[in-house]
Amino acid sequence: MLLDETPLFDPALLQELDWSKNTVNFSPHISPSRPGDGLVLRPLCTADYNRGFFKVLSQLTQTGDVTAEQFFRKFEHMKTTGDYFVVVVEDINVGQIVATATLIIEHKFIHSCAKRGRVEEVVVSDECRGKQLGKLLVSALTLLSDKLDCYKITLECASKNVPFYQKFGYSASEETYMQCRFHD
């Protein structure tokens, strides 16, 4: 098992996003190709295991004690399916992941066998909040979902975060989010 720089998905997908379709304002202006001084927006790679990827995720939810081998196996599974787009922001000055978000593509029989995008696990590290990285991640994944020809994109969020996501064109649906947990 080698933890290396191989990306989870083709980085060109992020580089080729039509940023003119972005619906939110950035001040100062940032974009996927210019996320800020010393920052790079890119696909997750296995080397990110040692760059604090789980430290950032743990600011959102419980991650558990994941070994490098477990991470590698899950990464390879996600890469093989081609339906997972985990995006990270790396602070290259310190070699650490400072933000991440995930787009998952679901394949449907409905809507003429369409695809649905789902945004998950949007988190920016405490020390980097206020730099518009959450906005950048959500904008990038929303545009990526459109580029991948999804008929819609959805997410679940705490009610206090609804105004944030409304800036991107998300609206509350009439459906109720329900769950049945089997483990913490």
Side-chain angles (χ1 to χ4, degrees):
M1 171 190 64
L2 176 65
L3 301 179
D4 63 16
E5 303 299 326
T6 303
L8 182 62
F9 61 92
D10 185 354
L13 287 171
L14 294 174
Q15 297 159 0
E16 297 167 357
L17 291 176
D18 184 356
W19 202 241
S20 69
K21 292 182 176 179
N22 175 47
T23 60
V24 296
N25 293 319
F26 290 90
S27 181
H29 179 75
I30 62 172
S31 68
S33 60
R34 293 189 183 112
D37 290 338
L39 301 176
V40 176
L41 179 103
R42 59 171 176 75
L44 179 74
C45 66
T46 55
D48 294 332
Y49 178 83
N50 293 319
R51 292 187 183 119
F53 176 69
F54 280 96
K55 181 182 177 189
V56 173
L57 275 181
S58 70
Q59 292 183 27
L60 177 69
T61 190
Q62 177 183 340
T63 61
D65 295 321
V66 178
T67 67
E69 184 178 329
Q70 289 172 310
F71 175 75
F72 184 80
R73 282 196 315 262
K74 188 63 67 175
F75 181 95
E76 287 299 311
H77 170 78
M78 291 176 166
K79 185 172 179 62
T80 300
T81 69
D83 294 325
Y84 290 85
F85 300 86
V86 182
V87 177
V88 297
V89 177
E90 180 185 359
D91 181 334
I92 57 175
N93 295 319
V94 294
Q96 290 293 298
I97 302 304
V98 296
T100 185
T102 300
L103 171 65
I104 302 168
I105 304 299
E106 296 178 353
H107 297 267
K108 303 289 195 175
F109 287 111
I110 61 174
H111 296 278
S112 302
C113 292
K115 295 183 285 187
R116 167 191 173 188
R118 206 161 32 100
V119 174
E120 301 236 339
E121 300 159 0
V122 178
V123 60
V124 177
S125 67
D126 290 334
E127 61 269 9
C128 288
R129 293 196 181 138
K131 296 184 177 183
Q132 308 180 96
L133 298 179
K135 282 172 55 176
L136 180 66
L137 289 166
V138 174
S139 291
L141 293 184
T142 303
L143 292 171
L144 181 57
S145 182
D146 183 41
K147 180 179 180 65
L148 295 172
D149 202 29
C150 293
Y151 81 97
K152 74 176 180 179
I153 185 169
T154 62
L155 56 82
E156 293 109 30
C157 70
S159 42
K160 68 179 183 174
N161 294 331
V162 168
F164 173 76
Y165 290 106
Q166 286 175 328
K167 297 176 197 174
F168 305 91
Y170 291 82
S171 59
S173 70
E174 293 180 18
E175 299 164 355
T176 301
Y177 169 71
M178 298 179 72
Q179 66 178 348
C180 182
R181 281 193 186 257
F182 300 106
H183 306 284
D184 285 334

